[in-house]
Amino acid sequence: MFAALRVRDYRIYWSAGLVSDIGSALQGVALDWFVLTLTHSGTALGWVAGLQFAPVLLFGLWGGVVADRYDRRTLLLWTQPLYAVQALVLTVIVFSGHAVLWPLYVLSFALGCVFTVENPARLSFVTELVGRALIPKAAGLNILSLNAARLIGPAIAGVLIGAIGTGWVFALNAVSFTVVLAGLLSIRPRARDTPAVARPPWTGAGAAGLRYVAARPELVGVFTSFGLAATFAVNFPATLTLFAGRVFDVGSRGLGLMNTARPAGPRPARRRPGPARPRPAPAGAAGATTAPGAWPARWRRPRGPSRRAACPSWAPGSARRPRSP
């Protein structure tokens, strides 16, 4: 899998992307925590997340069309500054001391619009950096980078929020995009090897992509499974934020550890010598985030008798939001 890192341009691109992914993970945890401390509302958390991914749902097909029709490196050079501006505006809002909710909604929707174009361009740009034979290995490294960022970023965010505040965490994320820009400016991708075919008009380009998927049953299964999981199963960030702030009262550090546990995956079971006997399977880290009994005793119980009384309107499951896996 690591053979793709022998290609200089891809090695620079992958390293810069890892830094940016960690910065984005920092901002994700910080934004959730900031919205909760500002509003004490699970509904607000759901709106912030929903507005981030609404553009992907509405315009995702055309985001892929843009990545196909225009130079991907140029698209990335434009979208990274837009990401940085969004993070800087969040920084200003926090430091102003007069934060209100509606700018966070606007910025969340703007972030989703940029992501709709940037994500397909970023993923497909790999094909211009490595040869055809190395594409599967490069794709595996991209997944490794994303999971590493999800593992490292939230833990760092939890510590930094308590130490320096959410505003500085947003600022660090803005700085991380300069690393990506420097990396993009230092690489020279290969020429795109695309056949000369007639392109459908913009209005029918998205439908052409749907017809391509519908004609291949294996792709239909993959897209259906992924869509169901992304819509109904990946709502942990909002749920964990409510649990960290209202139920377990563990603060931002606990929230960071909860988010870190999700990509950590299940720990392997160790078989002890002796005759086999029925025993409970060990709880994985991801399962522990949804099973309160698996948490340490000091996290399972609110600190103080009035913790639930202060928020009588809250009930588990009151805020559900899809989050990109």
Side-chain angles (χ1 to χ4, degrees), residues 52-63:
Q52 288 181 41
F53 295 102
V56 179
L57 179 64
L58 298 174
F59 314 117
L61 289 174
W62 287 273

Side-chain angles (χ1 to χ4, degrees), residues 150-172:
R150 289 174 174 175
L151 185 66
I152 299 170
I156 298 175
V159 175
L160 292 180
I161 291 171
I164 60 178
T166 54
W168 286 110
V169 175
F170 294 143
L172 287 175

Side-chain angles (χ1 to χ4, degrees), residues 22-220:
I22 293 175
S24 297
L26 291 175
Q27 176 168 306
V29 174
L31 182 59
D32 288 343
W33 187 253
F34 181 64
V35 171
L36 183 64
T37 56
L38 179 66
T39 66
H40 306 285
S41 168
T43 302
L45 279 170
W47 273 105
V48 167
L51 288 170
Q52 288 181 41
F53 295 102
V56 179
L57 179 64
L58 298 174
F59 314 117
L61 289 174
W62 287 273
V65 174
V66 171
D68 278 339
R69 297 195 176 189
Y70 296 97
D71 181 73
R72 292 159 185 167
R73 179 171 174 268
T74 302
L75 289 175
L76 293 174
L77 287 172
W78 277 100
T79 53
Q80 301 310 308
L82 293 177
Y83 277 141
V85 168
Q86 188 261 357
L88 286 174
V89 174
L90 282 173
T91 304
V92 173
I93 289 175
V94 174
F95 286 149
S96 70
H98 302 285
V100 292
L101 194 57
W102 70 264
L104 302 183
Y105 288 159
V106 174
L107 290 172
S108 297
F109 187 79
L111 178 67
C113 291
V114 178
F115 179 81
T116 301
V117 175
E118 185 268 347
N119 188 56
R122 171 169 48 85
L123 296 177
S124 56
F125 184 59
V126 174
T127 62
E128 302 178 27
L129 301 178
V130 300
R132 185 178 297 272
L134 292 177
I135 289 178
K137 299 182 184 300
L141 284 171
N142 286 349
I143 297 174
L144 175 64
S145 171
L146 182 60
N147 286 332
R150 289 174 174 175
L151 185 66
I152 299 170
I156 298 175
V159 175
L160 292 180
I161 291 171
I164 60 178
T166 54
W168 286 110
V169 175
F170 294 143
L172 287 175
N173 182 44
V175 173
S176 73
F177 294 112
T178 63
V179 178
V180 182
L181 282 172
L184 288 170
L185 292 172
S186 65
I187 62 179
R188 293 294 180 266
R190 305 181 181 189
R192 293 172 62 175
D193 184 17
T194 55
V197 296
R199 293 177 175 177
W202 280 94
T203 54
L210 291 176
R211 286 193 297 268
Y212 180 87
V213 173
R216 290 158 176 80
E218 66 278 8
L219 291 181
V220 172

